[in-house]
Amino acid sequence: MRIVISEFISLDGVVQAPGGPEEDTDGGFAHGGWSHPFFDPEVVGGAFAEALTKAEALLFGRRTWQTMAAAWPERAGDPFADRMNSIPKYVVSHTLGDDELTWEHTTRIPGDEAVARIRELRGTEGGDLLVMGSPTLVRTLLREDLVDELRLVIMPVLLGGGKTIFPDDGTQRPLELVSTVTSSTGVHVCTYRPTAKG
């Protein structure tokens, strides 16, 4: 399986709480919902719809999974929501109990086994294993060289600080720009793939 990361991201690299004010206020983050003014159904919505269509499973960190699990089941009847609800899902967590996995088709990966279990999943036959949000998990996947594609939905806004997906370990990781599309709202949807380290 290919591990594909899909993220809303600001020009200064922030991915925190793009969806709403209460999504993630860690560190006093006050800009929740910042992606909304730049969302357009064709380019931005189309990028996520395409990623979901190619995915055979979803992978989340705990906080993103909990946010999604609270939102998507009640949206049944919409094709995107129906796909979100029916596709297999994995959540990495130290703390979630199996009785809390209320979103259908969810399997928990214990936090201390995450890298090994995800490496195993990546080695199996199949389509894309799609990660949305989940900045802590994405940082780990990038650090462990477990990302096959990075799709950044770059919004024309500076947020002045917040959670990022990029490791700060001093390691250079070259990427190749595979495609880019620009929306009428100034969003760039850029798809990158890792290249061999020189």
Side-chain angles (χ1 to χ4, degrees):
M1 297 184 85
R2 293 187 330 142
I3 295 181
V4 176
I5 310 298
S6 191
E7 298 281 346
F8 289 122
I9 190 165
S10 69
L11 280 177
D12 52 350
V14 175
V15 298
Q16 189 168 352
E22 305 306 318
E23 186 178 337
D24 181 359
T25 57
D26 280 4
F29 189 76
H31 304 299
W34 53 269
S35 71
H36 293 235
F38 310 106
F39 187 90
D40 79 288
E42 188 178 334
V43 174
V44 178
F48 279 90
E50 181 192 355
L52 187 60
T53 300
K54 291 181 176 177
E56 288 199 8
L58 303 176
L59 175 63
F60 296 106
R62 177 193 54 80
R63 184 193 293 264
T64 301
W65 180 88
Q66 287 177 312
T67 300
M68 298 279 203
W72 286 106
E74 65 191 38
R75 298 181 189 175
D78 166 82
F80 189 89
D82 288 348
R83 178 92 171 122
M84 288 288 288
N85 290 324
S86 64
I87 195 169
K89 290 166 276 287
Y90 297 92
V91 56
V92 175
S93 175
H94 291 285
T95 57
L96 280 176
D98 289 337
D99 59 326
E100 296 175 88
L101 302 180
T102 52
W103 197 9
E104 287 187 327
H105 312 294
T106 296
T107 302
R108 186 176 73 87
I109 297 176
D112 56 350
E113 299 174 18
V115 170
R117 293 278 301 277
I118 292 167
R119 207 179 292 281
E120 283 173 18
L121 272 174
R122 186 174 178 234
T124 60
E125 287 296 316
D128 292 350
L129 182 59
L130 178 63
V131 185
M132 295 180 278
S134 311
T136 304
L137 174 61
V138 172
R139 263 195 315 280
T140 299
L141 296 174
L142 285 167
R143 194 171 55 242
E144 296 289 333
D145 295 322
L146 288 173
V147 174
D148 298 291
E149 191 169 283
L150 190 59
R151 183 175 295 199
L152 301 180
V153 181
I154 305 166
M155 306 273 178
V157 62
L158 300 172
L159 297 173
K163 292 180 181 176
T164 180
I165 59 168
F166 303 119
D168 59 359
D169 56 6
T171 300
Q172 182 175 328
R173 295 175 173 88
L175 301 169
E176 172 191 10
L177 179 64
V178 178
S179 69
T180 184
V181 182
T182 306
S183 79
S184 60
T185 56
V187 176
H188 289 271
V189 180
C190 298
T191 302
Y192 298 92
R193 291 185 189 139
T195 60
K197 294 179 183 178

